[in-house]
Amino acid sequence: MERLVNTVRPYAWGSTTAIPELLGTAPTGEPQAEMWMGAHPGAPSLTSRGPLNELIDADPVRELGPATAEKFGPRLPFLLKVLAAGAPLSLQVHPDLEQARAGYAAEEAAGIPVDAPHRTYKDANHKPEMICALTPFEGFCGFRAPAEAADTLAALGVDSLKPYADLLHAHPEEDALREVLTALLTADPAEMSHTVAEAAAAADRLGGAFAPYAVLAHHFPGDPGVIAAMLLHHVTLQPGEALYLGAGVPHAYLSGLGVEIMANSDNVLRCGLTPKHVDVPELLRVVRFEPADPGVLRPEASPSGEEVYDTPIDEFRLSRLVRAEGAAPTDLTAATPQILLATAGRPKAGEITLSPGESIFVPAGEPVELTEAGTVFRATVVA
């Protein structure tokens, strides 16, 4: 087992206090948005033997186990994060595996540098992800029924929103959503800025369920993503609840602290709420225009007391163990690689005591027993 030293990314939307409070450290005054745990080359965790990605590269079968290495190749298939949103993140979607491979190959063939601002595909992998709330966590996820979104637009009383509301009553629903999102993203910027300003003023005046749109417009004045967010479900997770975000599902996080896990990829297509590049044609190809319930997940308890968040993919499996004082040891030995993250108490993994925010990497097959009181999130794969 290796205790991990993890990088905290200072993205502008990050909270200045949430991650320091978890770690028990003093705030720096700068935003601390994401703490990465894993082997992503952009910010690999450090161990006593070197960066985790280099450990795995040197002997993938030993570190990952033969089944994981054969199924996913010589790399850790997931990336675990603590995410602390102090301001809205961009409205975005992720590609499926086929789209990611094709998009990456096309941009490589075109000679677009991987760090170019207009580059869309940073790698050839998909990026399904899940966020599990540690505090109340607010965001937008998945399309609402178009008629419901139309009612929201109409209630604002903004004349320039009426054409979009009318379009949302068209059938089939998927076509209505596609047409409206396309119109929003291709509208004249000056006209859209005026529309967003009027909508934000109305949302601020109405308050209640409209208040989040005023918040978005405060951070991103004139951005069409403010109106696009009105097409989506507004969701507030309570601690322990989670959202799974598959390919093509539009989403944006607003505020809160959570544990996030995803396939080991950095592919993001932005729809709005961002100054960054928005590739409208590729975005419209990737988005799944399907109204659906956001599907708030609650963990399912197993006989061992491990609470598992059920997801439809194999690249990651996230579970939670809430240990009481005096509880019997929990054997977590597995044939797959694991990262264990403590979020409360002072649990012990083998001989390593973990304070909140601390984590360890457990190679495949290495014996590990969890003792002492505390809460631990366990990230592994389905191999």
Side-chain angles (χ1 to χ4, degrees):
M1 288 183 288
E2 290 280 355
R3 187 186 294 272
L4 299 179
V5 177
N6 304 306
T7 297
V8 176
R9 311 306 293 263
Y11 305 138
W13 49 262
S15 167
T16 58
T17 59
I19 288 179
E21 286 176 3
L22 177 68
L23 297 174
T25 58
T28 64
E30 299 296 319
Q32 298 188 38
E34 295 181 347
M35 183 171 70
W36 288 23
M37 292 157 281
H40 192 285
S45 298
L46 301 179
T47 75
S48 64
R49 295 183 287 150
L52 184 56
N53 59 330
E54 294 181 8
L55 262 64
I56 293 171
D57 289 345
D59 196 344
V61 173
R62 177 179 179 273
E63 302 293 339
L64 304 177
T68 299
E70 180 178 357
K71 186 171 185 176
F72 300 108
R75 59 184 179 85
L76 189 66
F78 63 83
L79 176 64
L80 186 67
K81 300 179 181 180
V82 172
L83 184 147
L89 283 69
S90 62
L91 184 61
Q92 60 188 254
V93 298
H94 306 300
D96 63 25
L97 189 55
E98 182 179 345
Q99 291 164 340
R101 287 172 174 169
Y104 181 77
E107 291 187 326
E108 285 288 285
I112 302 173
V114 73
D115 58 352
H118 62 289
R119 174 95 184 213
T120 297
Y121 293 96
K122 310 295 186 184
D123 52 64
N125 199 19
H126 63 164
K127 193 188 176 188
E129 64 185 35
M130 181 169 59
I131 184 76
C132 179
L134 294 177
T135 67
F137 194 97
E138 188 179 5
F140 294 97
C141 175
F143 287 112
R144 297 192 283 171
E148 184 181 342
D151 289 343
T152 296
L153 297 183
L156 292 169
V158 176
D159 289 343
S160 52
L161 288 177
K162 188 176 186 303
Y164 301 113
D166 291 342
L167 283 172
L168 287 168
H169 287 294
H171 291 282
E173 291 185 327
E174 291 81 358
D175 290 346
L177 290 168
R178 178 183 292 276
E179 194 166 349
V180 170
L181 186 61
T182 303
L184 290 172
L185 297 179
T186 56
D188 177 79
E191 292 179 6
M192 179 53 60
S193 182
H194 181 70
T195 295
V196 172
E198 284 195 282
D204 192 42
R205 183 176 65 253
L206 291 168
F210 295 89
Y213 309 118
V215 172
L216 294 181
H218 170 74
H219 288 280
F220 300 99
D223 194 304
V226 175
I227 310 302
M230 298 179 190
L231 306 178
L232 309 182
H233 294 279
H234 175 241
V235 180
T236 299
L237 301 176
Q238 296 305 314
E241 294 181 334
L243 284 174
Y244 171 75
L245 301 157
V249 176
H251 59 280
Y253 300 149
L254 298 185
S255 63
L257 180 71
V259 174
E260 187 179 40
I261 189 167
M262 61 194 63
N264 196 4
S265 171
D266 198 25
N267 284 326
V268 175
L269 290 96
R270 295 173 177 85
C271 317
L273 308 179
T274 179
K276 295 183 179 180
H277 176 62
V278 177
D279 184 343
V280 175
E282 185 65 10
L283 172 71
L284 296 173
R285 191 177 76 85
V286 167
V287 170
R288 294 183 178 176
F289 293 94
E290 302 169 357
D293 186 276
V296 174
L297 297 175
R298 295 170 183 85
E300 300 177 5
S302 67
S304 67
E306 184 178 11
E307 301 173 322
V308 179
Y309 293 90
D310 186 34
T311 57
I313 61 153
D314 293 343
E315 279 89 345
F316 61 75
R317 175 186 181 272
L318 185 70
S319 59
R320 183 180 66 170
L321 298 104
V322 181
R323 292 184 49 80
E325 197 72 46
T330 306
D331 184 6
L332 297 183
T333 306
T336 53
Q338 306 179 66
I339 291 178
L340 305 180
L341 164 69
T343 58
R346 287 178 59 80
K348 291 182 68 174
E351 297 302 314
I352 300 176
T353 298
L354 298 173
S355 296
E358 293 185 336
S359 57
I360 61 169
F361 174 73
V362 185
E366 182 162 334
V368 57
E369 189 174 72
L370 202 62
T371 59
E372 306 301 332
T375 299
V376 172
F377 281 84
R378 181 192 194 196
T380 185
V381 303
V382 179

